[in-house]
Structures are given as structure tokens and as C-alpha cells.
């Protein structure tokens, strides 16, 4: 039997503007899983370098990283049309009921920086 489990939180960014300073600032203290740019848009997916046990802790850590960015990087943050914390879970057959919570303070923090939340559920064994 496979257990349902929290995997990680990825910060997903998309902008029609340059976000290279933002990615460079975050790269100092996080892992850039993907950074791609063409003449139409720039995309980045970033993950915390921290072993986190819950989505709440992971999102708070990523918020700290964003809040500590340079002024230029923060301007690029605001230019993003997509600023999403993607919470990843692996599905499974147990336990019968599984939940993870985001605290009210975390939701306020997400809102304050203008980000959203998304949930991705991966099939067992993927």
C-alpha cells in the first residue's frame, strides 16, 4: 500500500517582462528547477533549499526569500502575471483521510505579496 504524502511547494512565475534579477536573487537561497525565456515570456519554477515537512512551512520559507529580495527583484516580482505556490502531493491508498492546513497568517502573507495557491496531485509511483 502506498501512502498519500506531501512532496514540496514550487513557486511558479510567469512574466512578459525580464525576471532575471528576481531569479538570480532567489537562486542564492533556493533551487531554480526551471528558468526559460523567449521573446514572449519568461517562466521560472523555484523550490526552497530547505527540507520542509508541511506546505505551510514551505510557503512561509519561500515568502521569506521573496521578502528579502532586492528592490529591483521585487519590481520584477510585481511584473509577473503568475505568482503561484504550487503544493505537490503524491496520491496513495492510505490513510483513509489525509489533510494539510495553511494557517490564517500564511494565507495573509500569500495575499500580501500578491501570490496565489495551486494544488497538484501526482499519481502513485510517478
Amino acid at each position: 500500500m502506498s501512502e498519500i504524502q506531501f512532496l514540496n511547494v514550487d513557486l511558479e512565475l510567469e512574466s512578459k517582462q525580464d525576471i532575471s534579477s528576481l531569479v538570480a536573487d532567489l537562486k542564492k537561497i533556493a533551487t531554480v528547477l526551471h528558468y526559460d525565456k523567449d521573446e514572449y515570456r519568461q517562466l521560472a519554477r523555484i523550490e526552497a533549499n530547505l527540507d520542509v515537512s508541511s506546505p505551510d512551512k514551505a510557503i512561509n520559507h519561500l515568502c521569506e526569500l521573496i521578502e528579502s529580495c532586492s528592490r529591483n527583484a521585487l519590481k520584477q516580482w510585481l511584473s509577473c502575471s503568475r505568482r503561484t505556490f504550487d503544493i505537490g502531493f503524491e496520491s496513495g491508498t492510505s490513510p483513509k483521510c489525509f489533510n494539510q492546513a495553511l494557517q490564517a497568517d500564511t494565507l495573509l502573507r500569500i495575499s500580501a505579496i500578491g501570490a496565489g495557491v495551486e494544488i497538484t496531485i501526482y499519481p502513485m509511483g510517478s
Side-chain angles (χ1 to χ4, degrees):
M1 266 216 264
S2 177
E3 286 193 19
I4 301 166
Q5 60 183 325
F6 164 66
L7 296 174
N8 61 14
V9 175
D10 292 342
L11 173 60
E12 297 188 355
L13 304 171
E14 182 175 343
S15 181
K16 291 181 180 177
Q17 312 295 319
D18 176 40
I19 58 170
S20 59
S21 291
L22 175 59
V23 172
D25 273 16
L26 293 172
K27 189 178 190 174
K28 294 174 190 172
I29 39 185
T31 301
V32 176
L33 300 171
H34 176 81
Y35 179 44
D36 187 40
K37 50 189 171 179
D38 59 30
E39 63 265 26
Y40 304 108
R41 64 183 179 170
Q42 295 192 15
L43 302 169
R45 182 176 301 119
I46 294 150
E47 184 177 82
N49 278 343
L50 193 63
D51 186 24
V52 289
S53 56
S54 73
D56 194 76
K57 287 181 182 176
I59 289 172
N60 273 294
H61 181 68
L62 287 165
C63 284
E64 284 175 28
L65 302 183
I66 294 157
E67 293 160 355
S68 69
C69 283
S70 67
R71 179 175 283 166
N72 189 40
L74 289 173
K75 283 182 185 175
Q76 291 182 356
W77 167 265
L78 293 173
S79 80
C80 291
S81 57
R82 177 177 165 92
R83 298 179 294 260
T84 304
F85 294 105
D86 184 2
I87 305 169
F89 295 94
E90 183 175 57
S91 65
T93 56
S94 67
K96 190 169 188 150
C97 180
F98 179 85
N99 59 42
Q100 295 278 289
L102 295 179
Q103 301 301 312
D105 287 349
T106 304
L107 295 171
L108 286 171
R109 197 172 192 183
I110 292 166
S111 178
I113 63 171
V117 175
E118 184 173 279
I119 297 170
T120 301
I121 301 172
Y122 298 95
M124 291 185 292
S126 65

